[in-house]
Amino acid sequence: MKRIVTFGEIMLRLKSPGHERLFQSPALEATFGGGEANVAVSLCNFGMQGVFVSALPADSVGEAALRSLRAFGVDCSFVKRTSGGRTGIYYLETGADQRASLVVYDRAGSAASAMKPGDFDWARVFTGADWFHFTGITPALSLSAAEACIEAAEAARAAGVTVSVDLNYRKKLWNYGVKASDMMKRLVALADLLIANEEDIQLALGITAEGADPAGGHLSSEVYKALAEKTKTAFPNLSRIAITLRESKSADRNGWSAALLGHDGFRVSKSYSIDDIVDRVGGGDSFGAGLIFGMLEYGDEAKALEYAVAASALKHTIPGDFNLVTRSEVEKLASGDGSGRVSR
Protein backbone atom coordinates (compact mmCIF):
# COMPACT_ATOMS: atom_id res chain seq x y z
CA MET A 1 0.00 0.00 0.00
CA LYS A 2 1.36 3.41 -0.99
CA ARG A 3 2.04 5.73 1.96
CA ILE A 4 1.57 9.49 1.59
CA VAL A 5 2.67 11.88 4.35
CA THR A 6 0.93 15.25 4.71
CA PHE A 7 1.93 18.14 6.98
CA GLY A 8 -0.35 20.98 8.04
CA GLU A 9 -3.14 22.19 10.29
CA ILE A 10 -6.60 20.77 10.86
CA MET A 11 -9.20 23.25 12.09
CA LEU A 12 -12.63 23.30 13.61
CA ARG A 13 -15.00 24.36 10.83
CA LEU A 14 -18.06 26.35 11.94
CA LYS A 15 -20.55 26.90 9.12
CA SER A 16 -23.86 28.77 9.00
CA PRO A 17 -26.78 26.48 8.09
CA GLY A 18 -27.60 26.15 4.41
CA HIS A 19 -27.02 29.45 2.63
CA GLU A 20 -27.62 31.64 5.67
CA ARG A 21 -25.38 34.54 6.63
CA LEU A 22 -23.15 33.92 9.63
CA PHE A 23 -25.22 34.15 12.84
CA GLN A 24 -28.41 34.82 10.90
CA SER A 25 -29.80 32.08 13.13
CA PRO A 26 -28.25 31.00 16.46
CA ALA A 27 -26.67 27.84 15.07
CA LEU A 28 -23.41 26.76 13.45
CA GLU A 29 -22.56 23.36 11.96
CA ALA A 30 -19.36 21.98 13.50
CA THR A 31 -17.01 19.71 11.53
CA PHE A 32 -13.25 19.62 10.93
CA GLY A 33 -11.06 20.27 7.92
CA GLY A 34 -7.83 21.68 6.54
CA GLY A 35 -5.85 21.40 3.31
CA GLU A 36 -3.41 18.61 4.09
CA ALA A 37 -5.85 16.73 6.32
CA ASN A 38 -8.39 16.77 3.48
CA VAL A 39 -5.79 15.22 1.16
CA ALA A 40 -4.99 12.47 3.67
CA VAL A 41 -8.69 11.57 4.03
CA SER A 42 -9.19 11.41 0.26
CA LEU A 43 -6.19 9.14 -0.20
CA CYS A 44 -7.46 6.76 2.48
CA ASN A 45 -10.85 6.67 0.73
CA PHE A 46 -9.03 5.78 -2.50
CA GLY A 47 -7.32 2.82 -0.81
CA MET A 48 -3.92 4.30 0.04
CA GLN A 49 -2.39 5.12 3.42
CA GLY A 50 -2.73 8.78 4.32
CA VAL A 51 -0.54 10.10 7.13
CA PHE A 52 -1.19 13.43 8.83
CA VAL A 53 1.58 15.24 10.74
CA SER A 54 0.63 18.28 12.81
CA ALA A 55 0.27 19.69 16.32
CA LEU A 56 -2.97 19.79 18.32
CA PRO A 57 -3.71 20.70 21.93
CA ALA A 58 -4.14 17.82 24.36
CA ASP A 59 -7.77 18.69 25.06
CA SER A 60 -11.19 17.46 24.00
CA VAL A 61 -11.34 19.62 20.85
CA GLY A 62 -7.97 18.38 19.65
CA GLU A 63 -9.07 14.81 20.36
CA ALA A 64 -12.26 15.31 18.38
CA ALA A 65 -10.22 16.58 15.42
CA LEU A 66 -8.09 13.42 15.54
CA ARG A 67 -11.16 11.20 15.77
CA SER A 68 -12.53 12.82 12.62
CA LEU A 69 -9.39 11.73 10.76
CA ARG A 70 -8.99 8.31 12.34
CA ALA A 71 -12.55 7.50 11.31
CA PHE A 72 -11.29 7.36 7.71
CA GLY A 73 -8.12 5.42 8.53
CA VAL A 74 -5.70 8.36 8.55
CA ASP A 75 -2.49 7.60 10.47
CA CYS A 76 -2.24 10.31 13.14
CA SER A 77 0.55 8.70 15.17
CA PHE A 78 2.97 11.56 14.41
CA VAL A 79 0.63 14.35 15.56
CA LYS A 80 2.23 16.26 18.43
CA ARG A 81 -0.10 16.89 21.37
CA THR A 82 0.67 20.12 23.19
CA SER A 83 -0.17 21.49 26.62
CA GLY A 84 -0.52 25.01 25.20
CA GLY A 85 -2.06 26.54 22.13
CA ARG A 86 -5.49 25.85 20.71
CA THR A 87 -7.26 24.29 17.77
CA GLY A 88 -7.63 26.81 14.95
CA ILE A 89 -11.12 27.71 13.78
CA TYR A 90 -12.57 28.92 10.52
CA TYR A 91 -16.07 30.22 9.97
CA LEU A 92 -17.77 29.57 6.64
CA GLU A 93 -20.73 31.27 5.01
CA THR A 94 -21.81 29.57 1.78
CA GLY A 95 -22.68 32.02 -0.97
CA ALA A 96 -25.37 31.74 -3.63
CA ASP A 97 -25.69 33.14 -7.14
CA GLN A 98 -23.90 36.51 -7.14
CA ARG A 99 -23.16 36.48 -3.38
CA ALA A 100 -19.73 34.98 -2.83
CA SER A 101 -18.88 32.58 -0.05
CA LEU A 102 -17.06 34.01 2.96
CA VAL A 103 -14.31 32.54 5.17
CA VAL A 104 -13.27 34.11 8.48
CA TYR A 105 -10.14 32.73 10.18
CA ASP A 106 -9.66 32.48 13.92
CA ARG A 107 -6.43 30.54 14.16
CA ALA A 108 -3.89 32.88 15.79
CA GLY A 109 -2.09 31.15 18.63
CA SER A 110 -3.00 27.66 17.43
CA ALA A 111 -0.81 24.70 18.33
CA ALA A 112 -0.03 24.21 14.64
CA SER A 113 1.15 27.79 14.20
CA ALA A 114 3.77 27.14 16.90
CA MET A 115 5.29 24.16 15.06
CA LYS A 116 9.03 24.58 14.54
CA PRO A 117 12.11 22.73 13.25
CA GLY A 118 13.06 19.87 15.52
CA ASP A 119 9.50 19.10 16.58
CA PHE A 120 9.25 15.97 14.43
CA ASP A 121 11.56 13.04 13.73
CA TRP A 122 11.31 13.30 9.95
CA ALA A 123 13.61 10.34 9.30
CA ARG A 124 11.12 8.19 11.20
CA VAL A 125 8.10 9.87 9.59
CA PHE A 126 9.40 9.18 6.08
CA THR A 127 10.40 5.57 6.71
CA GLY A 128 8.42 3.59 4.16
CA ALA A 129 6.81 6.70 2.68
CA ASP A 130 6.26 7.15 -1.06
CA TRP A 131 5.15 10.78 -1.15
CA PHE A 132 5.17 14.00 0.89
CA HIS A 133 2.53 16.71 0.41
CA PHE A 134 2.01 20.12 1.95
CA THR A 135 0.31 23.37 0.96
CA GLY A 136 1.16 27.05 1.04
CA ILE A 137 -1.22 27.43 3.97
CA THR A 138 1.16 25.82 6.47
CA PRO A 139 4.14 28.16 5.85
CA ALA A 140 1.70 31.10 6.00
CA LEU A 141 0.87 30.32 9.64
CA SER A 142 4.14 31.57 11.14
CA LEU A 143 7.84 31.82 10.43
CA SER A 144 8.55 28.78 12.61
CA ALA A 145 5.91 26.72 10.77
CA ALA A 146 7.47 27.80 7.45
CA GLU A 147 10.91 26.72 8.66
CA ALA A 148 9.42 23.39 9.76
CA CYS A 149 8.04 22.97 6.22
CA ILE A 150 11.49 23.54 4.77
CA GLU A 151 12.97 21.03 7.20
CA ALA A 152 10.32 18.46 6.25
CA ALA A 153 10.73 18.94 2.49
CA GLU A 154 14.51 18.67 2.75
CA ALA A 155 14.17 15.49 4.81
CA ALA A 156 11.74 14.03 2.27
CA ARG A 157 14.13 14.69 -0.59
CA ALA A 158 17.00 13.17 1.38
CA ALA A 159 14.87 10.06 1.91
CA GLY A 160 14.07 9.81 -1.81
CA VAL A 161 10.41 10.68 -1.28
CA THR A 162 8.50 12.57 -3.99
CA VAL A 163 7.46 16.06 -2.82
CA SER A 164 4.35 17.96 -3.92
CA VAL A 165 3.17 21.42 -2.93
CA ASP A 166 -0.21 23.05 -3.53
CA LEU A 167 0.39 26.82 -3.44
CA ASN A 168 -3.03 27.59 -1.90
CA TYR A 169 -2.31 31.30 -1.47
CA ARG A 170 -4.26 32.80 1.45
CA LYS A 171 -3.83 36.57 1.67
CA LYS A 172 -5.40 36.73 5.15
CA LEU A 173 -2.66 34.52 6.62
CA TRP A 174 0.58 36.05 5.35
CA ASN A 175 1.01 38.61 8.10
CA TYR A 176 4.18 37.76 10.04
CA GLY A 177 6.56 39.99 8.09
CA VAL A 178 7.76 37.63 5.34
CA LYS A 179 6.49 37.97 1.77
CA ALA A 180 4.65 34.93 0.49
CA SER A 181 6.73 34.92 -2.70
CA ASP A 182 10.04 34.90 -0.81
CA MET A 183 9.08 31.90 1.31
CA MET A 184 7.20 29.94 -1.33
CA LYS A 185 10.02 30.23 -3.84
CA ARG A 186 12.29 28.47 -1.33
CA LEU A 187 9.73 25.72 -0.81
CA VAL A 188 8.81 25.21 -4.47
CA ALA A 189 12.52 24.78 -5.19
CA LEU A 190 12.32 21.61 -3.06
CA ALA A 191 9.29 20.11 -4.82
CA ASP A 192 8.78 17.68 -7.70
CA LEU A 193 5.11 18.50 -8.36
CA LEU A 194 3.50 21.93 -8.16
CA ILE A 195 -0.29 22.30 -7.91
CA ALA A 196 -1.86 25.74 -8.22
CA ASN A 197 -4.28 27.98 -10.02
CA GLU A 198 -3.32 31.01 -12.08
CA GLU A 199 -3.87 33.45 -9.21
CA ASP A 200 -1.78 31.34 -6.82
CA ILE A 201 1.16 31.34 -9.21
CA GLN A 202 0.94 35.08 -9.68
CA LEU A 203 0.60 35.99 -5.99
CA ALA A 204 2.80 33.30 -4.42
CA LEU A 205 5.54 33.13 -7.06
CA GLY A 206 5.29 36.41 -8.95
CA ILE A 207 4.80 34.68 -12.32
CA THR A 208 2.00 36.11 -14.45
CA ALA A 209 -0.18 34.81 -17.27
CA GLU A 210 -1.17 37.45 -19.80
CA GLY A 211 -4.71 37.04 -21.02
CA ALA A 212 -5.97 34.82 -18.19
CA ASP A 213 -9.55 35.73 -17.28
CA PRO A 214 -11.22 32.90 -15.31
CA ALA A 215 -13.83 35.31 -13.93
CA GLY A 216 -14.88 36.14 -17.47
CA GLY A 217 -16.06 32.61 -18.12
CA HIS A 218 -13.42 31.74 -20.72
CA LEU A 219 -10.08 30.01 -20.30
CA SER A 220 -7.46 29.77 -23.03
CA SER A 221 -5.34 26.62 -22.90
CA GLU A 222 -2.51 28.45 -24.67
CA VAL A 223 -2.35 31.03 -21.89
CA TYR A 224 -2.01 28.32 -19.27
CA LYS A 225 0.51 26.41 -21.31
CA ALA A 226 2.66 29.54 -21.40
CA LEU A 227 2.19 30.02 -17.64
CA ALA A 228 3.23 26.44 -16.92
CA GLU A 229 6.29 26.76 -19.15
CA LYS A 230 7.34 30.03 -17.48
CA THR A 231 6.99 28.36 -14.09
CA LYS A 232 9.02 25.37 -15.25
CA THR A 233 11.77 27.70 -16.49
CA ALA A 234 11.85 29.45 -13.12
CA PHE A 235 11.89 26.15 -11.22
CA PRO A 236 13.66 23.49 -13.30
CA ASN A 237 13.48 21.08 -10.34
CA LEU A 238 9.75 20.65 -10.99
CA SER A 239 8.99 17.55 -13.01
CA ARG A 240 5.27 18.29 -13.26
CA ILE A 241 3.10 21.41 -12.95
CA ALA A 242 -0.67 21.12 -12.56
CA ILE A 243 -2.92 24.17 -12.93
CA THR A 244 -6.58 24.01 -11.97
CA LEU A 245 -8.90 26.00 -14.22
CA ARG A 246 -12.05 27.29 -12.52
CA GLU A 247 -14.52 29.37 -14.55
CA SER A 248 -16.44 31.23 -11.84
CA LYS A 249 -19.79 32.15 -13.34
CA SER A 250 -21.49 32.52 -9.95
CA ALA A 251 -21.24 31.06 -6.45
CA ASP A 252 -23.37 28.12 -7.65
CA ARG A 253 -22.09 27.65 -11.20
CA ASN A 254 -18.50 26.90 -12.13
CA GLY A 255 -16.71 25.33 -15.03
CA TRP A 256 -14.01 22.97 -13.78
CA SER A 257 -10.99 21.49 -15.54
CA ALA A 258 -7.21 21.36 -15.19
CA ALA A 259 -4.00 21.35 -17.19
CA LEU A 260 -0.77 19.45 -16.64
CA LEU A 261 2.73 20.09 -17.94
CA GLY A 262 4.56 16.83 -17.39
CA HIS A 263 6.88 14.26 -18.88
CA ASP A 264 4.50 13.74 -21.79
CA GLY A 265 4.10 17.44 -22.63
CA PHE A 266 1.16 19.75 -21.96
CA ARG A 267 -2.42 18.51 -21.78
CA VAL A 268 -5.83 19.82 -20.70
CA SER A 269 -8.48 17.64 -19.07
CA LYS A 270 -12.13 17.37 -19.99
CA SER A 271 -14.25 20.15 -18.52
CA TYR A 272 -17.13 19.70 -16.08
CA SER A 273 -20.03 22.10 -15.83
CA ILE A 274 -20.95 22.24 -12.15
CA ASP A 275 -24.27 24.05 -12.07
CA ASP A 276 -25.46 23.36 -8.52
CA ILE A 277 -22.48 23.55 -6.17
CA VAL A 278 -23.15 22.12 -2.73
CA ASP A 279 -19.75 22.96 -1.18
CA ARG A 280 -16.63 24.00 -3.07
CA VAL A 281 -14.37 24.13 0.01
CA GLY A 282 -11.83 21.34 -0.33
CA GLY A 283 -12.21 21.18 -4.10
CA GLY A 284 -8.56 21.96 -4.69
CA ASP A 285 -7.46 19.48 -2.02
CA SER A 286 -9.53 16.73 -3.64
CA PHE A 287 -7.84 17.54 -6.96
CA GLY A 288 -4.40 17.28 -5.35
CA ALA A 289 -5.26 13.98 -3.69
CA GLY A 290 -6.63 12.63 -6.95
CA LEU A 291 -3.50 13.63 -8.84
CA ILE A 292 -1.20 12.04 -6.25
CA PHE A 293 -3.30 8.87 -6.34
CA GLY A 294 -3.32 8.79 -10.11
CA MET A 295 0.42 9.28 -10.43
CA LEU A 296 1.15 6.51 -7.94
CA GLU A 297 -1.54 4.08 -9.10
CA TYR A 298 -1.59 4.49 -12.88
CA GLY A 299 1.81 5.90 -13.81
CA ASP A 300 -0.01 7.61 -16.67
CA GLU A 301 -0.23 11.40 -16.71
CA ALA A 302 -3.36 11.64 -18.85
CA LYS A 303 -5.25 9.12 -16.72
CA ALA A 304 -4.03 10.71 -13.48
CA LEU A 305 -5.18 14.16 -14.60
CA GLU A 306 -8.66 12.96 -15.55
CA TYR A 307 -8.98 11.10 -12.25
CA ALA A 308 -7.99 14.23 -10.30
CA VAL A 309 -10.48 16.49 -12.08
CA ALA A 310 -13.29 13.95 -11.69
CA ALA A 311 -12.54 13.54 -7.98
CA SER A 312 -12.69 17.28 -7.49
CA ALA A 313 -15.90 17.64 -9.49
CA LEU A 314 -17.54 15.11 -7.19
CA LYS A 315 -16.30 16.97 -4.09
CA HIS A 316 -18.44 19.96 -5.13
CA THR A 317 -21.49 17.79 -4.39
CA ILE A 318 -20.55 16.95 -0.79
CA PRO A 319 -20.94 19.17 2.30
CA GLY A 320 -17.87 19.53 4.50
CA ASP A 321 -14.14 19.67 3.82
CA PHE A 322 -13.65 15.94 3.24
CA ASN A 323 -14.22 14.32 -0.16
CA LEU A 324 -16.33 11.30 0.76
CA VAL A 325 -16.12 9.41 -2.52
CA THR A 326 -14.56 6.10 -3.49
CA ARG A 327 -12.10 5.17 -6.18
CA SER A 328 -14.81 3.38 -8.17
CA GLU A 329 -17.07 6.43 -8.11
CA VAL A 330 -14.28 8.66 -9.39
CA GLU A 331 -13.26 6.22 -12.10
CA LYS A 332 -16.89 5.94 -13.21
CA LEU A 333 -17.15 9.70 -13.70
CA ALA A 334 -13.70 9.96 -15.29
CA SER A 335 -14.73 7.31 -17.82
CA GLY A 336 -17.65 9.47 -18.93
CA ASP A 337 -20.56 8.31 -16.79
CA GLY A 338 -21.91 11.48 -15.21
CA SER A 339 -25.60 10.77 -15.64
CA GLY A 340 -26.38 10.79 -11.92
CA ARG A 341 -28.72 7.81 -12.35
CA VAL A 342 -29.63 5.94 -9.17
CA SER A 343 -27.24 3.06 -8.51
CA ARG A 344 -29.28 -0.02 -7.56
Side-chain angles (χ1 to χ4, degrees), residues 18-182:
H19 290 84
E20 289 184 11
R21 307 304 305 266
L22 281 169
F23 305 108
Q24 181 176 335
S25 62
L28 292 172
E29 300 168 357
T31 54
F32 292 92
E36 296 86 354
N38 298 343
V39 170
V41 168
S42 280
L43 288 164
C44 287
N45 287 337
F46 297 154
M48 293 185 172
Q49 178 60 74
V51 182
F52 182 60
V53 182
S54 187
L56 279 167
D59 60 21
S60 57
V61 181
E63 189 59 39
L66 290 179
R67 283 200 305 271
S68 73
L69 295 175
R70 291 174 179 145
F72 297 99
V74 176
D75 181 349
C76 299
S77 59
F78 297 106
V79 174
K80 178 183 177 183
R81 306 304 300 278
T82 67
S83 57
R86 55 188 284 259
T87 301
I89 300 172
Y90 85 92
Y91 297 85
L92 174 64
E93 176 184 295
T94 300
D97 293 323
Q98 282 67 50
R99 176 170 60 85
S101 296
L102 172 68
V103 170
V104 178
Y105 291 121
D106 178 17
R107 57 203 299 179
S110 69
S113 68
M115 295 186 299
K116 62 185 185 303
D119 278 353
F120 305 97
D121 183 351
W122 292 112
R124 182 164 164 260
V125 171
F126 290 126
T127 298
D130 298 281
W131 200 288
F132 174 56
H133 178 76
F134 66 97
T135 77
I137 296 174
T138 304
L141 297 177
S142 66
L143 180 58
S144 65
E147 291 171 339
C149 267
I150 293 172
E151 179 186 60
E154 289 177 340
R157 291 183 69 86
V161 174
T162 301
V163 177
S164 60
V165 55
D166 186 336
L167 287 182
N168 260 349
Y169 178 78
R170 298 291 184 267
K171 180 181 178 180
K172 295 178 181 179
L173 295 181
W174 287 97
N175 55 19
Y176 60 86
V178 175
K179 289 178 61 177
S181 58
D182 290 342

Side-chain angles (χ1 to χ4, degrees), residues 36-344:
E36 296 86 354
N38 298 343
V39 170
V41 168
S42 280
L43 288 164
C44 287
N45 287 337
F46 297 154
M48 293 185 172
Q49 178 60 74
V51 182
F52 182 60
V53 182
S54 187
L56 279 167
D59 60 21
S60 57
V61 181
E63 189 59 39
L66 290 179
R67 283 200 305 271
S68 73
L69 295 175
R70 291 174 179 145
F72 297 99
V74 176
D75 181 349
C76 299
S77 59
F78 297 106
V79 174
K80 178 183 177 183
R81 306 304 300 278
T82 67
S83 57
R86 55 188 284 259
T87 301
I89 300 172
Y90 85 92
Y91 297 85
L92 174 64
E93 176 184 295
T94 300
D97 293 323
Q98 282 67 50
R99 176 170 60 85
S101 296
L102 172 68
V103 170
V104 178
Y105 291 121
D106 178 17
R107 57 203 299 179
S110 69
S113 68
M115 295 186 299
K116 62 185 185 303
D119 278 353
F120 305 97
D121 183 351
W122 292 112
R124 182 164 164 260
V125 171
F126 290 126
T127 298
D130 298 281
W131 200 288
F132 174 56
H133 178 76
F134 66 97
T135 77
I137 296 174
T138 304
L141 297 177
S142 66
L143 180 58
S144 65
E147 291 171 339
C149 267
I150 293 172
E151 179 186 60
E154 289 177 340
R157 291 183 69 86
V161 174
T162 301
V163 177
S164 60
V165 55
D166 186 336
L167 287 182
N168 260 349
Y169 178 78
R170 298 291 184 267
K171 180 181 178 180
K172 295 178 181 179
L173 295 181
W174 287 97
N175 55 19
Y176 60 86
V178 175
K179 289 178 61 177
S181 58
D182 290 342
M183 184 58 70
M184 291 312 300
K185 285 176 181 178
R186 293 177 62 188
L187 284 161
V188 171
L190 297 170
D192 302 287
L193 167 65
L194 175 68
I195 302 169
N197 61 33
E198 177 268 330
E199 186 178 49
D200 289 338
I201 293 175
Q202 176 181 335
L203 296 175
L205 299 179
I207 300 172
T208 60
E210 297 177 3
D213 183 25
H218 176 71
L219 298 173
S220 167
S221 61
E222 289 304 311
V223 169
Y224 290 91
K225 180 180 179 181
L227 177 63
E229 290 173 344
K230 288 175 68 174
T231 305
K232 171 67 174 174
T233 298
F235 297 95
N237 54 288
L238 294 172
S239 59
R240 296 182 175 99
I241 298 168
I243 302 176
T244 55
L245 311 177
R246 183 185 294 277
E247 299 170 279
S248 295
K249 299 168 185 176
S250 73
D252 305 292
R253 298 178 60 241
N254 285 181
W256 183 247
S257 59
L260 179 70
L261 177 64
H263 298 160
D264 299 331
F266 181 81
R267 68 182 70 249
V268 179
S269 75
K270 71 176 69 173
S271 179
Y272 293 90
S273 179
I274 309 175
D275 294 331
D276 189 16
I277 295 174
V278 173
D279 192 337
R280 61 169 280 181
V281 176
D285 304 322
S286 58
F287 173 83
L291 193 59
I292 293 169
F293 173 87
M295 293 296 184
L296 289 171
E297 181 68 15
Y298 305 134
D300 180 294
E301 291 181 344
K303 195 170 182 179
L305 180 63
E306 295 298 343
Y307 185 95
V309 175
S312 184
L314 288 173
K315 167 61 193 76
H316 288 71
T317 72
I318 298 172
D321 268 49
F322 300 155
N323 193 17
L324 308 182
V325 297
T326 64
R327 171 178 176 173
S328 61
E329 289 173 321
V330 178
E331 289 179 334
K332 182 179 179 180
L333 178 58
S335 68
D337 187 351
S339 65
R341 290 172 61 89
V342 176
S343 178
R344 301 183 188 276

